[in-house]
Amino acid sequence: MKLIRALALLCFVFLGVSTSAQTESAESNFIAIDHVPIVVHDLAVIKQLFSDELHFRVKDGRVHEGINNCFIKFENGTYLEFIVPLDSTQSIGKYYTTWLKAGSGATVPAISIRNRDELTKYLTARKIEFTLSANKVWSTITVQSGELFYIDYLNKNWRDPNTTHSNQALSLETTWILSNDIEGDSKKYQSYGFKQFQQMEWQGVTVQLLSLGISKLALLDAKSPFHLSSDFESPDRLGICGFTIKVASLEKLNSMLINLDKVELMANKTVVLLKDYNLFLEFVE
């Protein structure tokens, strides 16, 4: 009997260590919210706004697969991508054409990972259906719900050199999502790899904050009045509604935004409303 109890205890300890190791391995596979695609009607207008008025360095993209694009890249590898659909007969062009029917704005987050095979095991174990595709630059894994996709870059060490901005922007810190069910969405994003971080109040609205790698995801309760989204072109639109961007100096940034409309200057942050794109930008040091 003592031998059986000892074996049972040993098995329990082994399973506990194994489960813990699997959890740590899964968590270490997630790097960051790599980027967020933002669909727009006119790239020239968005480039003028972000370069001339917000003082970012905008990198041109190229025409491919039914779209054209441009980027704002940050030194830690995160970025924002602006996309205009050109040809709805091509799959990617059709995808963003459909998004644009609801108005300009952010689509879904792209999550960078270290290993595609580990990620597919992770999703399969949680019974999350997905599709897999690959090219010479990356592999992408898209969850069937379409709420996000993962990227496994083939060259893990490559960094874009175009990351110096006159407004001293450094990184994409937080992606904000307007949700009518923050508790349900919190559980859903946790199944995708995010971890519950904290609950807080922001601009008078309840926020559920999640983390993944170096990034954060903030779920804003859409049932509470939110003065920024009420000024959006599409005020009832749910989904990604803003970004927190880290800068080296808020004082420097604020001095460059003095002639810009819809800017809120606070003690430790600056918020810019981009009404036509159903977005806000929060800048922090």
Side-chain angles (χ1 to χ4, degrees):
M1 183 62 70
K2 290 182 178 180
L3 178 60
I4 292 174
R5 289 177 180 172
L7 289 172
L9 179 60
L10 182 62
C11 181
F12 177 80
V13 171
F14 174 78
L15 287 173
V17 171
S18 176
T19 301
S20 176
Q22 289 174 0
T23 301
E24 291 178 5
S25 175
E27 290 180 357
S28 65
N29 194 29
F30 301 109
I31 301 172
I33 297 177
D34 181 80
H35 73 279
V36 178
I38 301 165
V39 63
V40 301
H41 288 281
D42 191 325
L43 281 188
V45 173
I46 203 76
K47 287 162 70 174
Q48 188 274 331
L49 169 63
F50 275 83
S51 61
D52 296 350
E53 297 184 43
L54 293 171
H55 306 282
F56 288 95
R57 180 177 185 175
V58 180
K59 179 185 177 183
D60 287 328
R62 61 186 178 86
V63 175
H64 65 289
E65 299 184 83
I67 66 167
N68 195 5
N69 58 358
C70 63
F71 309 90
I72 294 173
K73 302 273 187 139
F74 301 111
E75 62 183 25
N76 69 345
T78 57
Y79 64 98
L80 297 176
E81 177 184 15
F82 301 95
I83 294 173
V84 60
L86 302 174
D87 183 359
S88 61
T89 65
Q90 299 189 52
S91 59
I92 295 181
K94 180 179 180 180
Y95 174 81
Y96 286 110
T97 297
T98 301
W99 267 99
L100 197 54
K101 289 178 181 178
S104 296
T107 58
V108 298
I111 311 300
S112 56
I113 57 172
R114 291 184 170 85
N115 186 285
R116 179 190 71 181
D117 294 337
E118 287 297 318
L119 190 277
T120 57
K121 291 177 185 176
Y122 175 90
L123 296 177
T124 301
R126 286 156 180 75
K127 295 181 170 54
I128 299 173
E129 297 185 10
F130 59 88
T131 57
L132 180 68
S133 62
N135 56 34
K136 62 182 181 180
V137 179
W138 57 42
S139 294
T140 59
I141 303 95
T142 305
V143 298
Q144 189 178 54
S145 66
E147 292 165 317
L148 55 75
F149 62 99
Y150 304 88
I151 294 180
D152 181 4
Y153 288 94
L154 298 184
N155 183 351
K156 302 291 194 297
N157 298 317
W158 185 82
R159 283 289 181 269
D160 195 297
N162 302 284
T163 61
T164 302
H165 305 280
S166 59
N167 64 9
Q168 299 188 348
L170 300 174
S171 62
L172 174 61
E173 295 284 295
T174 305
T175 298
W176 296 77
I177 292 181
L178 201 58
S179 164
N180 57 14
D181 181 11
I182 61 172
E183 294 301 326
D185 282 341
S186 176
K187 292 178 181 177
K188 178 175 57 183
Y189 281 103
Q190 287 179 63
S191 74
Y192 294 147
F194 288 83
K195 295 190 297 182
Q196 193 166 12
F197 189 67
Q198 70 179 91
Q199 187 163 303
M200 62 181 193
E201 294 288 318
W202 189 84
Q203 301 273 327
V205 182
T206 300
V207 177
Q208 185 70 55
L209 196 61
L210 307 175
S211 65
L212 178 144
I214 63 172
S215 302
K216 291 184 176 63
L217 186 74
L219 301 173
L220 277 163
D221 189 356
K223 296 175 184 176
S224 302
F226 181 45
H227 76 284
L228 289 175
S229 64
S230 65
D231 289 332
F232 285 171
E233 188 71 26
S234 305
D236 297 325
R237 178 174 178 154
L238 298 176
I240 296 175
C241 61
F243 304 104
T244 299
I245 295 172
K246 184 177 181 180
V247 297
S249 169
L250 273 178
E251 182 179 5
K252 172 69 172 178
L253 171 76
N254 293 342
S255 71
M256 305 177 82
L257 301 181
I258 55 175
N259 295 319
L260 195 63
D261 292 335
K262 295 293 183 179
V263 177
E264 295 184 25
L265 304 180
M266 303 172 215
N268 59 354
K269 66 184 67 175
T270 296
V271 178
V272 177
L273 176 68
L274 304 179
K275 174 183 176 181
D276 294 341
Y277 302 98
N278 299 299
L279 290 170
F280 66 85
L281 301 180
E282 179 192 52
F283 296 94
V284 299
E285 283 188 13

